[in-house]
Amino acid sequence: MTRESFVSEMNRHVKLVRTEYGFTQDVMAKTLGISKKTLVEIEKGRASLGWTGAVALCTIFAASQVLAGALGGEAMDMILALAFEDSEPEYPK
């Protein structure tokens, strides 16, 4: 999976996650830090969460069964793999 396909997958599932949590568009938009208008455009396929928005979605809704099913497991594992795909971080000792 690439970053682009990850973002695209999150765009397709944002409405399902919102419904899973019982959030209105207003509440979901506020939770993600975007406008309601932007959320509506994302849900209609006319806009994108982008990399940071997709990461925010997965981080905030880490317990989502919808996201776990879409990614085949823990979202954080996928995020870390994609974040460091071109570099190896030096971890503190």
Side-chain angles (χ1 to χ4, degrees), residues 22-73:
F23 283 3
T24 63
Q25 287 178 326
D26 287 321
V27 172
M28 186 67 154
K30 185 176 180 181
T31 302
L32 292 175
I34 59 177
S35 70
K36 180 182 175 184
K37 180 179 178 183
T38 300
L39 178 63
V40 169
E41 293 296 307
I42 292 167
E43 289 184 354
K44 289 183 176 183
R46 298 180 191 154
S48 176
L49 285 165
W51 169 249
T52 54
V55 170
L57 176 72
C58 287
T59 304
I60 295 167
F61 298 98
S64 169
Q65 294 300 310
V66 169
L67 294 179
L71 298 172

Side-chain angles (χ1 to χ4, degrees), residues 1 3 6 10 51-60 62 67 71 74-85:
M1 180 175 278
R3 280 188 183 202
F6 172 77
M10 294 306 98
W51 169 249
T52 54
V55 170
L57 176 72
C58 287
T59 304
I60 295 167
L67 294 179
L71 298 172
E74 291 291 320
M76 289 310 292
D77 294 338
M78 181 66 68
I79 291 168
L80 290 173
L82 292 172
F84 295 117
E85 69 184 341

